[in-house]
């Protein structure tokens, strides 16, 4: 039987907020399993919450995908899939200048950007969590996955 793992010092109130965030948000809700993993390699990473700097009453779920040290999900992701090299600002300036007068610029900021990208069904068992004795897995990229920025960037580059 799996037990939920919550950050040390997390209050009961924060745990309740985490449950709401983890289970209730429709666009990122993990899907429940039974009390027994349906995949022989199901991985449940520890969970926690942290308050946001600018909104101390708003909490963010933390999936500790780097735990346990040495055998975590993040340890299995190669460096080549976990780093991004961005263009220099000079490239952006040159591109804007070469576009000429009358050109339009746009900037997008997606809320919960990673959660717009689905996880492969064959990998979902790796991104699991346990809450109140129930096993869950995510169906979208989540914050804390070492390769999430790299994967999101592939989709973002395809759009522009």
């Amino acid at each position: 039987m799996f037990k939920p793992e919550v950050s040390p010092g997390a209050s009961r109130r924060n745990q309740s907020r985490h449950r709401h965030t983890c289970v209730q948000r429709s666009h990122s809700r993990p899907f429940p399993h039974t009390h027994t993993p349906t995949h022989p390699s199901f991985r449940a990473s520890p969970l926690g919450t942290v308050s946001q700097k600018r909104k101390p009453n708003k909490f963010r779920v933390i999936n500790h995908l780097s735990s346990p040290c040495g055998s975590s999900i993040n340890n299995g992701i190669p460096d080549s899939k976990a780093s991004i090299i961005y263009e220099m600002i000079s490239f952006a300036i040159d591109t804007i200048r070469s576009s000429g007068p009358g050109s339009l610029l746009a900037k997008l900021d997606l809320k919960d950007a990673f959660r717009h990208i689905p996880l492969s069904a064959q990998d979902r068992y790796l991104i699991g969590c346990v809450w109140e004795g129930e096993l869950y897995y995510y169906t979208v990229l989540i914050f804390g996955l070492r390769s999430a920025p790299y994967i999101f960037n592939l989709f973002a580059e395809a759009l522009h």
Side-chain angles (χ1 to χ4, degrees), residues 79-87 147-154 157:
D79 290 343
S80 62
K81 302 293 184 199
S83 64
I84 301 172
I85 299 173
Y86 292 106
E87 296 288 346
S147 58
Y150 176 85
I151 294 168
F152 180 79
N153 195 57
L154 292 174
E157 284 185 356

Side-chain angles (χ1 to χ4, degrees), residues 47-108:
L47 297 172
T49 58
V50 64
S51 62
Q52 295 181 4
K53 286 183 182 180
R54 295 186 182 131
K55 299 177 184 176
N57 292 328
K58 188 171 180 179
F59 292 83
R60 179 177 304 218
V61 175
I62 297 176
N63 297 78
H64 297 288
L65 298 172
S66 292
S67 176
C69 187
S71 63
S72 70
I73 296 302
N74 281 341
N75 286 132
I77 299 172
D79 290 343
S80 62
K81 302 293 184 199
S83 64
I84 301 172
I85 299 173
Y86 292 106
E87 296 288 346
M88 302 295 288
I89 188 69
S90 58
F91 175 79
I93 292 169
D94 291 343
T95 302
I96 293 167
R97 283 186 178 149
S98 66
S99 296
S103 296
L104 300 175
L105 298 175
K107 177 192 173 283
L108 297 175

